[in-house]
Amino acid sequence: MRSIHKIEIVFMILLMGILAGCGKDADSAKGDSIEILNVSYDPTREFYAKYNELFAKHWKEQGGQDVNVTQSHGGSGSQARSVIEGNEADVVTLALAHDITAIEENGLIDSGWMEEFDGSSAPYTSTIVFLVRKGNEKNIQDWDDLVKDGVEVITPNPKTSGGACWNFLAAWAYWQEKDGNDEEATKEYMKKLYQNVLVLDSGARGATNTFVENEQGDVLVAWENEAYLSMEEHPDEYEIVTPSVSILAQPSVAVVDSNAKAHGTKEAAEAYLKYLYSDEAQRLAGENYYRPSNEAILEEFSDQFHLDMNLVTIDDFGGWDEAYNKYFNDDAVFDQIYGQ
């Protein structure tokens, strides 16, 4: 009996050790330092490198912890799939809501994420513009010019890039307006556009590198922030052309609840995204050529941005679920056009 009692005591000690070990990871965020992973889309590298420093200072002042934020970048659709397949992001800051919804549908993000933060959880916005070489030799002024013979277009692939989806929808909206909502006529224009695409990169930054670094193509269909960044890095080499119709692009953010809970980083992850709405972060977004969601701060950048652009929104396409099903799913409109 005495030996059995000893065995029970040893078992209880081992069990307590195991339970303590299990709780260690969940409680690791309560120490002197914390790490979180931000899985983002292509053109946000520079912004988040600066924002992470801003947030680290804020978090240290608020909670006394050091925080190290690791970044991961790529095409938004590819990034979403990487999280679904096991990339243990604490937060995602992706190019469009549909990519975050895909992660939600796989059980990693709690429902209602779009209402967790202001502006449908889009702390900054952008739009789609054209980047051309200085002098604009092909005289590219609007979407019509992208379907002319001899014009070489650079744009990423909507199957892997969120920015490419915004590009596609902006072009579609232009031709729908011009053609009186004649869908077949619009498909023909879109077919001509993609026939002129020289390289279909997997992400927006890859497309920028193709146009800027490799000097291919006559025009890059680009995120506004990416176009401005190219001009900043290569002064006097490029011009931005604003098309007559574009789209309000709303990159979305969310906590990956399942991962953050397991890592013990939920509180820090939520604070990381919430602080994107602070005045300091909103100005930093503007300085990195994103349009702040704070209207008053956006006005501070009125000399930088063309705030009177004719912008359609994703709601004009019935929301992302309807738009993605119609245009970007397998065998949907993009596949039909590109397959031809």
Side-chain angles (χ1 to χ4, degrees):
M1 290 292 292
R2 201 176 285 172
S3 62
I4 293 174
H5 183 62
K6 288 181 179 178
I7 291 172
E8 288 176 341
I9 293 173
V10 170
F11 174 77
M12 289 300 294
I13 292 172
L14 288 172
L15 180 61
M16 289 172 67
I18 291 171
L19 290 174
C22 290
K24 188 174 182 180
D25 288 340
D27 291 336
S28 62
K30 296 179 181 178
D32 293 333
S33 64
I34 188 172
E35 294 188 9
I36 58 178
L37 171 59
N38 174 12
V39 170
S40 194
Y41 66 106
D42 256 340
T44 61
R45 305 164 195 263
E46 293 79 9
F47 168 62
Y48 277 111
K50 295 173 184 175
Y51 174 71
N52 292 343
E53 295 179 3
L54 189 67
F55 176 73
K57 180 181 178 182
H58 166 74
W59 186 249
K60 181 74 171 178
E61 291 172 350
Q62 294 296 308
Q65 283 180 316
D66 294 316
V67 59
N68 177 46
V69 184
T70 304
Q71 298 175 214
S72 171
H73 299 273
S76 186
S78 299
Q79 290 290 79
R81 282 190 288 276
S82 79
V83 174
I84 292 168
E85 292 167 3
N87 190 354
E88 295 192 9
D90 297 283
V91 299
V92 286
T93 56
L94 297 177
L96 44 90
H98 178 270
D99 291 334
I100 296 180
T101 299
I103 301 171
E104 176 196 352
E105 290 173 347
N106 278 269
L108 298 174
I109 294 176
D110 295 345
S111 61
W113 66 266
M114 197 176 288
E115 288 75 46
E116 187 168 355
F117 302 103
D118 292 342
S120 299
S121 291
Y124 43 80
T125 65
S126 190
T127 188
I128 303 304
V129 298
F130 305 151
L131 186 68
V132 299
R133 305 187 194 286
K134 197 71 174 179
N136 194 7
E137 183 179 341
K138 297 291 179 72
N139 193 29
I140 293 165
Q141 302 297 331
D142 216 336
W143 295 100
D144 280 338
D145 299 311
L146 272 57
V147 301
K148 290 179 178 177
D149 292 341
V151 174
E152 295 180 339
V153 178
I154 304 296
T155 184
N157 188 343
K159 306 293 281 190
T160 54
S161 165
C165 295
W166 292 115
N167 293 355
F168 181 100
L169 294 177
W172 184 276
Y174 170 81
W175 277 306
Q176 280 282 275
E177 182 177 299
K178 184 170 183 177
D179 298 330
N181 295 319
D182 184 336
E183 191 156 306
E184 291 306 312
T186 297
K187 283 183 180 179
E188 286 302 309
Y189 276 116
M190 297 296 288
K191 179 181 175 182
K192 291 178 182 177
L193 170 60
Y194 282 94
Q195 284 174 338
N196 279 355
V197 173
L198 187 63
V199 178
L200 202 65
D201 287 286
S202 62
R205 182 53 59 87
T208 300
N209 289 339
T210 294
F211 184 73
V212 174
E213 304 297 336
N214 300 336
E215 299 183 350
Q216 297 187 56
D218 300 306
V219 56
L220 172 69
V221 185
W223 289 97
E224 179 182 53
N225 57 283
E226 190 80 340
Y228 273 115
L229 185 62
S230 296
M231 291 182 63
E232 177 185 295
E233 294 178 346
H234 303 272
D236 303 319
E237 293 184 32
Y238 298 98
E239 300 175 17
I240 291 176
V241 175
T242 301
S244 62
V245 175
S246 193
I247 193 165
L248 178 66
Q250 296 171 288
S252 301
V253 303
V255 175
V256 186
D257 298 283
S258 179
N259 292 342
K261 289 173 184 175
H263 300 159
T265 57
K266 184 77 182 292
E267 182 182 359
E270 289 175 347
Y272 181 79
L273 298 184
K274 184 177 181 180
Y275 195 62
L276 284 166
Y277 293 87
S278 68
D279 288 354
E280 295 83 0
Q282 288 285 290
R283 289 193 177 92
L284 183 65
E287 290 163 4
N288 283 268
Y289 309 114
Y290 290 92
R291 298 185 175 212
S293 60
N294 183 315
E295 291 292 332
I297 295 178
L298 176 60
E299 283 295 327
E300 295 177 15
F301 293 88
S302 58
D303 291 341
Q304 176 173 286
F305 299 120
H306 180 185
L307 299 182
D308 295 326
M309 289 176 66
N310 179 14
L311 301 179
V312 298
T313 73
I314 193 60
D315 292 338
D316 294 313
F317 295 89
W320 266 114
D321 287 345
E322 185 174 330
Y324 210 89
N325 288 336
K326 180 175 180 178
Y327 300 106
F328 306 119
N329 273 339
D330 291 342
D331 301 320
V333 171
F334 174 75
D335 281 356
Q336 295 166 19
I337 290 168
Y338 198 68
Q340 295 172 5

